[in-house]
Amino acid sequence: MVDIGLFTQIVINGLLLGGIYVTIGVGFSLAFGVLEVVDFAVGEYVMVGAFMGAVLAPLFGAEGIFAIPIVLVVFFALGALIQPLIHHVTTGDRPHPLLMGLVFTFGLATFLRGSVLTIFGPNNRDVPSSLLTGGVAVPGVGTFPVVRTVTAVFGVTALVVFMYYLYRTRGGMAIRAIAEDRTNARLMGININRYQSIAYGAYAALTGSAGVFIGMTFTANPGMGLQYTAFAFFMVVLAGMGYLPGVILAGIVLGLTQSFTAVYISGNLVLLVLFAIIYLVLLVSPAGILGKGEWAT
């Protein structure tokens, strides 16, 4: 017999987890749409963000959440510096630009993981926060862990701000024009490099800050990046390649799938279940679960 209390708590945890995964997925989807590159470094940005939170938290009285503004600024600057390098290897007369982008970001991911291992070693690091401990019990429903609730609110807020910027500002219109047709955007006088740098910087900033929240929710570990790279791929494919609104549904499905699989099957089989879902989605709806993204070919 199903324990209703446990079932409800799993749903709550899954929905809240989905909120922070939305933060990773929206940035990853934006980078794919604007730069046309599948970024293997996304998981390592999460990992480096978590370690930055662990390092900066003691400076703010062991409150990791106060490290978020610094992480946002540092990662935005880092992304703005890295984007021209990605643009350089994926444009011009070079053959196989998609493959070049994959190789570059794979090398970047390896460099970031190796650097963190060299500096901090292989052990876990905590991102402390006494403000986000405990939970809020709602009678008849379940307990909402504070850190996961704040994390989910951050993720959804980040998505709303991004959507507003993309669909209500001139900068957002320029980014969407680049994602639609880079050649026509250039003919219209749009500064391609500038807006690609903004988009990649915003993606890196969101992903790094998500790493701080994930470090507060779980822990920071040098090997955690691969898991979040897989999660980002899952969300983008499920949402539909380049379709940002679908990331919300994809994040929720990811959070619920992870929670239910970990409790009722095994935490070690989460990735296997996720890739089985991706396989089925690609068979049935290659344009994503809502059918509004680019076809995955």
Side-chain angles (χ1 to χ4, degrees):
M1 179 178 294
V2 177
D3 184 328
I4 299 301
L6 175 62
F7 183 88
T8 306
Q9 191 61 49
I10 293 171
V11 171
I12 292 172
N13 290 339
L15 291 175
L16 297 179
L17 269 180
I20 192 59
Y21 293 152
V22 165
T23 309
I24 301 172
V26 69
F28 188 74
S29 182
L30 183 67
F32 172 80
V34 176
L35 276 74
E36 297 180 353
V37 63
V38 179
D39 192 348
F40 265 114
V42 57
E44 307 309 328
Y45 288 161
V46 173
M47 181 269 293
V48 174
F51 272 88
M52 277 194 68
V55 170
L56 293 174
L59 303 178
F60 299 102
E63 287 297 343
I65 193 170
F66 293 145
I68 296 291
I70 297 177
V71 173
L72 280 168
V73 172
V74 170
F75 271 78
F76 183 88
L78 180 68
L81 290 174
I82 291 174
Q83 182 278 327
L85 302 177
I86 296 177
H87 180 78
H88 178 72
V89 301
T90 57
T91 56
D93 297 328
R94 295 171 184 79
H96 310 298
L98 180 60
L99 183 60
M100 293 290 285
L102 286 173
V103 171
F104 179 86
T105 57
F106 182 79
L108 178 62
T110 304
F111 171 76
L112 292 175
R113 185 166 55 254
S115 298
V116 170
L117 272 171
T118 302
I119 296 171
F120 298 102
N123 298 324
N124 294 346
R125 298 284 291 267
D126 292 327
V127 183
S129 178
S130 59
L131 293 175
L132 303 183
T133 57
V136 178
V138 178
V141 179
T143 301
F144 290 77
V146 174
V147 64
R148 295 192 182 203
T149 304
V150 172
T151 298
V153 170
F154 175 82
V156 175
T157 302
L159 178 61
V160 171
V161 170
F162 247 69
M163 296 298 291
Y164 178 85
Y165 176 76
L166 285 176
Y167 290 95
R168 291 289 186 269
T169 68
R170 292 176 62 85
M173 186 183 300
I175 289 176
R176 287 190 289 119
I178 295 169
E180 187 71 25
D181 191 315
R182 192 179 303 186
T183 302
N184 285 339
R186 184 177 287 109
L187 292 174
M188 293 168 62
I190 295 174
N191 188 328
I192 303 288
N193 292 336
R194 177 187 175 191
Y195 285 106
Q196 283 187 335
S197 291
I198 291 173
Y200 196 82
Y203 147 67
L206 280 176
T207 308
S209 60
V212 180
F213 280 108
I214 289 171
M216 288 191 289
T217 304
F218 302 109
T219 187
N221 182 281
M224 65 193 285
L226 181 61
Q227 172 184 342
Y228 291 100
T229 298
F231 286 177
F233 276 103
F234 174 86
M235 281 187 288
V236 170
V237 173
L238 195 66
M241 307 288 275
Y243 183 61
L244 282 179
V247 172
I248 296 179
L249 180 58
I252 291 172
V253 171
L254 171 59
L256 291 174
T257 301
Q258 183 181 9
S259 292
F260 277 101
T261 303
V263 174
Y264 288 113
I265 303 177
S266 169
N268 296 326
L269 297 179
V270 169
L271 289 179
L272 178 64
V273 173
L274 291 179
F275 280 104
I277 293 174
I278 288 179
Y279 180 75
L280 292 175
V281 169
L282 290 176
L283 281 179
V284 177
S285 178
I289 196 169
L290 298 176
K292 294 186 177 180
E294 298 178 20
W295 275 54
T297 56

